[in-house]
Amino acid sequence: VVLGDFNASRWHADFRRLLGKGHLKDAQELVGKGLSVSWPMDWPATPAFARLDHVLVKGGVVAIDGWTVHIPGSDHKAVVDDVAIEGG
């Protein structure tokens, strides 16, 4: 599991290349929430429009569910994904 603020959306060329190698999968996309947004948060002039924060899984780790959570004082929503070890 690799997670964090990648400062890159699915449309960023380097991030697409990372996912394109086939080893890492975006957990939000795996559970059908690939269009979720995490940034910017609470900026009245600019509604949230991109997900820069990601949980990536590989190998025997599977995504079960995913959502975003408002974090007071942050300019990002938290991206939360429920994952499990396959067969576990």
Side-chain angles (χ1 to χ4, degrees):
V1 177
V2 180
L3 56 102
D5 176 1
F6 286 72
N7 271 341
S9 71
R10 182 59 137 132
W11 299 278
H12 189 277
D14 290 335
F15 189 67
R16 273 197 320 272
R17 263 194 301 280
L18 174 68
L19 295 179
K21 294 184 183 290
H23 303 292
L24 295 167
K25 305 286 184 192
D26 188 300
Q28 292 272 314
E29 290 180 5
L30 291 173
V31 298
K33 297 182 180 172
L35 295 178
S36 64
V37 295
S38 66
W39 180 87
M41 182 62 212
D42 283 343
W43 289 12
T46 309
F49 65 87
R51 184 162 44 88
L52 305 181
D53 309 278
H54 304 274
V55 176
L56 306 179
V57 297
K58 74 175 232 173
V61 179
V62 295
I64 297 169
D65 198 3
W67 58 96
T68 58
V69 178
H70 173 76
I71 303 294
S74 176
D75 65 335
H76 291 244
K77 286 183 179 180
V79 173
V80 180
D81 287 283
D82 190 8
V83 299
I85 296 177
E86 197 168 30

